[in-house]
């Protein structure tokens, strides 16, 4: 990569500032949940990073932060990502898109680019749904894909609602047509969460599509009782139908050719010598075809009911979120590919099974994504990693496509 010395120094500086925030020194993983102390630090970092650049910062009605180069207004070229993480997350998923956005702006300004339209860097709140359960909450609220009353009632694992903990006026939450009307195009850079680029020997890729995906809450209600005195035939143990659901969904995933994960479980009261009163589990299911995902979940739900009724366990299944398949804007993608090609970067076009705010915005504005090579493919883990040289190449690629979009007088896509 021929990233400038300034970009390299800027990357090192910004990365070093973010590194300690929300990091578990024991595992090296990050816990950066929305509207927590770690998030407040990250949001302050965002403001400070924008302010030293003379960029005006705004917080929209849903708590997303915007840093503006130029006067906020319609036709803006918008880039960015998120600063929150999954529990035990990596350093790159989210922050890389925001750090490279600031570096791209630095580079364009240093090169004397005079934009024909405003540019904004956005930090979307609660992208992972790590705290309140619904991924891309900030962008979903903005486009009206989540009802504000429903969002405000979401609870974290301590039982606190979003309404109680949110850092903006809860009465303002909801669709934000004014914020959306200013976006001419949105381009999000993200670490790849697989190994497709590595296999192709490419540092940078462009997204074609996002798989349809959703989250379901399975509640298994039994009867808490003593582990030493309750006869097996008298038990209503929710752990058993839960365990059947976990193994059955894996079989369904293989049969339907989809991906399913049960990665979050809550056992109440969670005592070694107590039969649980209740088990709550969350299913994440994704696939290339929505119909197959939906069919598998239907089948799993009937299986859960059958497994529960045989054991005196109540079953309740609720879909918490659903994101249909996203095909990113073809015109915008072609522009990105042309601009990258002119800069000597050949970028493979690839779909992904990971969700992004760009996927939510894609229903209302022209949207595209750049991916940065992930040599191991690992993500949502402390092991998530990208080489510095690929991150710098990402910043360069982002600058290239933003410049192309900023210099055009007509609408970006
Ligand atoms: O869960 C996801 O797909 C994303 O990384 N937010
Ligand atoms: Mn993620
Ligand atoms: Mn992400």
């Amino acid at each position: 990569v021929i990233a400038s010395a300034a970009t390299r120094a800027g990357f090192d500086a910004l990365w070093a500032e973010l590194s300690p925030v929300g990091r578990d020194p024991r595992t090296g993983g990050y816990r950066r949940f929305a509207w927590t102390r770690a998030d407040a630090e990250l949001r302050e970092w965002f403001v400070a990073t924008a302010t030293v650049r003379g960029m005006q910062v705004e917080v929209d009605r849903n708590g997303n932060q915007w840093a503006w180069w130029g006067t906020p207004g319609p036709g803006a070229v918008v880039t960015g990502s998120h600063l929150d993480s999954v529990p035990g997350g990596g350093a790159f998923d989210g922050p890389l898109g925001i750090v490279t956005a600031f570096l791209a702006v630095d580079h364009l300004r240093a090169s004397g680019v005079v934009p024909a339209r405003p540019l904004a860097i956005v930090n979307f709140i609660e992208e992972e749904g790590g705290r309140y359960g619904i991924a891309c909450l900030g962008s979903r609220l903005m486009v009206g894909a989540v009802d504000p009353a429903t969002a405000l009632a979401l609870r974290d694992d301590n039982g606190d609602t979003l309404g109680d903990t949110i850092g903006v006026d809860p009465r303002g939450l909801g669709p934000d047509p004014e914020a959306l009307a200013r976006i001419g195009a949105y381009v999000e850079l993200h670490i790849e969460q697989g190994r497709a680029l590595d296999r192709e020997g490419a540092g940078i890729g462009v997204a074609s599509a996002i798989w349809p995906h959703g989250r379901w809450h399975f509640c298994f209600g039994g009867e808490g009782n003593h582990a030493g005195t309750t006869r097996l035939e008298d038990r209503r143990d929710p752990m058993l139908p839960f365990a059947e659901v976990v193994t059955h969904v894996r079989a369904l995933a293989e049969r339907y050719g989809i991906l399913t994960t049960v990665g979050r479980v809550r056992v109440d009261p969670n005592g070694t010598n107590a039969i649980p009163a209740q088990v709550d589990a969350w299913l994440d299911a994704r696939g290339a075809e929505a119909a197959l995902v939906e069919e598998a979940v239907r089948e799993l739900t009937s299986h859960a009911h059958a497994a529960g009724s045989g054991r005196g366990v109540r079953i309740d299944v609720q879909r918490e979120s659903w994101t249909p398949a996203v095909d990113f804007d073809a015109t915008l993608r072609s522009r990105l590919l042309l601009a990258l090609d002119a800069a000597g970067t050949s970028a493979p076009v690839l779909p992904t099974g990971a969700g992004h705010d760009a996927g939510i915005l894609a229903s209302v504005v022209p949207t595209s994504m750049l991916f940065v090579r992930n040599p191991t493919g690992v993500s949502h883990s402390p092991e998530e990693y990208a080489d510095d040289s690929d991150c710098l190449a990402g910043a360069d690629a982002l600058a290239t496509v933003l410049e192309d979009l900023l210099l055009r007088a007509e609408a970006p896509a």
Side-chain angles (χ1 to χ4, degrees), residues 93 127-128 135-136 190 193 213 215 284 286 353-356 380:
D93 177 356
E127 192 274 348
E128 298 289 8
C136 300
H190 205 277
Q193 296 170 290
H213 57 282
R215 295 180 181 191
D284 178 306
R286 316 181 186 213
H356 302 283
H380 286 182

